């Protein structure tokens, strides 16, 4: 059975929101990257909601790092939304990605205008 990943793009409070569901690994990371690049077009704030992600490996972490760098290069920012005690949150902490990319436990905080909130 092929692993599935879904990236749905919407807008909230002036931010572009990419909601990711499924497992992000070597087999699905390219689909995540493609979805985030599409979502980033014209965005100044890209919020990636990972609360529906069940697994995240180093390939997924690399995609998030690349996406953050690409957003910065176009003058924007990337933020992450995670569930507080999830395996995804643990992977972000262990890898140090949560220190490089603002990471939030609450969706409302993550979509707040740049400069009006603090990271978790």
């Amino acid at each position: 059975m092929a692993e599935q990943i879904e990236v749905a793009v919407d807008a909230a409070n002036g931010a572009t929101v990419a909601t990711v569901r499924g497992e992000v690994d070597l087999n699905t990371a390219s689909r995540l990257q493609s979805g985030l690049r599409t979502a980033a077009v014209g965005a100044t704030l890209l919020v990636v909601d990972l609360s529906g992600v069940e697994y995240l490996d180093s390939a997924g972490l690399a995609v998030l790092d690349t996406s953050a760098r690409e957003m910065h290069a176009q003058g924007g920012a990337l933020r992450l939304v995670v569930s507080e005690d999830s395996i995804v949150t643990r992977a972000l902490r262990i890898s140090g990605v949560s220190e490089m990319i603002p990471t939030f436990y609450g969706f409302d905080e993550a979509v707040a205008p740049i400069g009006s909130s603090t990271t978790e």
Side-chain angles (χ1 to χ4, degrees), residues 24 32 36 48-53 55-66 68 78-105 120:
V24 183
L32 175 62
L36 295 182
V48 182
D49 184 350
L50 299 172
S51 59
V53 172
Y55 179 79
L56 179 71
D57 75 1
S58 60
L61 293 168
V63 168
L64 295 173
D65 179 60
T66 298
L78 184 134
R79 295 177 181 172
L80 305 175
V81 177
V82 296
S83 299
E84 192 167 352
D85 293 322
S86 71
I87 192 167
V88 170
T89 302
R90 185 163 187 230
L92 293 169
R93 284 185 187 148
I94 289 170
S95 66
V97 170
S98 63
E99 297 297 318
M100 298 180 296
I101 302 173
T103 303
F104 299 83
Y105 300 129
E120 291 289 333

Side-chain angles (χ1 to χ4, degrees), residues 4-10 16-25 28-37 39 46-57 60-61 63-64 67 78-83 86 88 107:
Q4 298 295 316
I5 185 171
E6 179 183 325
V7 180
V9 179
D10 205 349
T16 300
V17 179
T19 302
V20 184
R21 300 206 183 288
E23 296 185 3
V24 183
D25 59 20
T28 60
S30 63
R31 284 180 267 167
L32 175 62
Q33 186 170 37
S34 176
L36 295 182
R37 282 191 172 146
L46 176 57
V47 175
V48 182
D49 184 350
L50 299 172
S51 59
V53 172
E54 301 158 5
Y55 179 79
L56 179 71
D57 75 1
L61 293 168
V63 168
L64 295 173
S67 295
L78 184 134
R79 295 177 181 172
L80 305 175
V81 177
V82 296
S83 299
S86 71
V88 170
F107 181 80

